[in-house]
Amino acid sequence: MADRPVVVYGASGFSGRLIVEFLREYNVPFVAAGRSRERLEDVLDHVPGISTADYEIAEVGHDVGELTALFEGSKVVCNSVGPCIYYGDTVIEAALAAGCHYIDTGGETPWVKSVRENWHERFLEAGLLVAPATAYMSATAEVAIRVAQERAPGIDTIEVLSMFMGMPTYGSTQTIFGQLQWESLYLQENEYVEWPPVTTIEALIPGEFRTRLALPWGGFPHPVWFKDDPRIANVYAFGGLLDRTIMENVVAGQRDYQEKIRPLPPEEQKKILADIADSVQAGMPPRENRRHQRTIDVVSARGSLDSMQVVVHGQGAYLQTGLIQAFAAHHLVFQPPRATGFASPCSAFGHRELLAALEAYGLARLKIVG
């Protein structure tokens, strides 16, 4: 049983160590949990200012029983172990059994859709929040969507572009390749529609002359968040890395998957895709450099007569994820979420509040461009 209000499961990973770094900033006591105590101790020893944090380390197996026993007594679980489509249900089940709110960093569409369909009612009945995709490439763009809704209440169609400079982490790379086994979705007239294989666009970011190569990458969580929303009928989301060479290699990998891997049995596909991801990113990338590793989120929204374009310039995709997770956990320690059951980050914590947190740390700035 934990005697601190927050458990960070996967604290030795790239995102996990940033979550605990920002929990220290918020002065929230936490348990840093994972499968290897030695690994956890080594990673946390390198977290800036960790000697001033109130925390403990817990070694735990990826098992519902072990995780439930660890989570009991806490208020919220921050899960950064991925890909969530493979490992998330075990953590969610344990969080619910222990009576904890659950947030994670996994924004892949099949995962978010699965959480809504399989866990919403159970968490709602328990008065608890289950909020996957409480992270960059999800929450930051959602802030821009909610601002557009405020200023142009007649909008019914949303296009989202989220891109960043940097190298995906091990977990992100596993997710990028792993979700090739699943459909990529958009929302059209409140119905899920599947993108054709290897769909790409040349996106133009406001203020730039070069176009950027972007993909649906599963569709992102936004179509799932707005399914059955009375105001929004259509949602199209794209994203990627600002480095075109990396994106071209990703597209080539998608074509290879369609031609050579997709005909194979699912388990064999899973293993091959995991091996490919390992070959791309097998270790821990360096800490983000804010000057270089910038982010851009663009939301174009329109209705019959209304239109709005909102841009969020930011820095450090994974820094934003760490902050968003810590902000959400801090909120849940002191007050209930704005919504229970399955909810998006802005529905659970407020889009103005999330934006204020990002701005307070100099990680994002929002502006209306049209």
Side-chain angles (χ1 to χ4, degrees), residues 112-136:
V112 178
K113 185 169 177 281
S114 170
V115 172
R116 178 175 183 169
E117 293 169 352
N118 298 322
W119 294 102
H120 170 66
E121 294 297 335
R122 283 181 272 184
F123 272 77
L124 185 65
E125 184 178 350
L128 296 169
L129 171 70
V130 56
T134 303
Y136 177 72

Side-chain angles (χ1 to χ4, degrees), residues 221-245:
H222 311 92
V224 183
W225 286 338
F226 288 96
K227 182 76 168 68
D228 300 325
D229 186 300
R231 298 166 297 173
I232 303 299
N234 311 297
V235 180
Y236 313 96
F238 294 86
L241 282 87
L242 291 166
D243 186 320
R244 178 172 282 269
T245 300

Side-chain angles (χ1 to χ4, degrees), residues 144-158:
I145 294 171
R146 302 298 182 179
V147 169
Q149 286 184 300
E150 275 183 344
R151 290 176 171 258
I155 63 174
D156 59 23
T157 299
I158 296 167

Side-chain angles (χ1 to χ4, degrees), residues 26 139-144 146-147 150-151 310-313 320 323-324 327 345-346 349-368:
Y26 278 100
T140 305
E142 190 197 358
V143 168
R146 302 298 182 179
V147 169
E150 275 183 344
R151 290 176 171 258
V310 183
V311 176
V312 183
H313 291 98
Q320 289 183 51
L323 174 61
I324 291 166
F327 167 82
C346 290
F349 307 110
H351 66 283
R352 288 291 175 185
E353 289 77 2
L354 275 169
L355 178 61
L358 290 165
E359 289 178 335
Y361 279 87
L363 293 179
R365 179 174 294 169
L366 180 145
K367 67 178 181 179
I368 311 298

Side-chain angles (χ1 to χ4, degrees), residues 76-79 101-105 129 131-132 134 325 328-329 332 349:
V76 56
V77 174
C78 300
N79 179 27
H101 300 294
Y102 172 93
I103 59 176
D104 72 31
T105 60
L129 171 70
T134 303
Q325 283 272 310
L332 294 169
F349 307 110

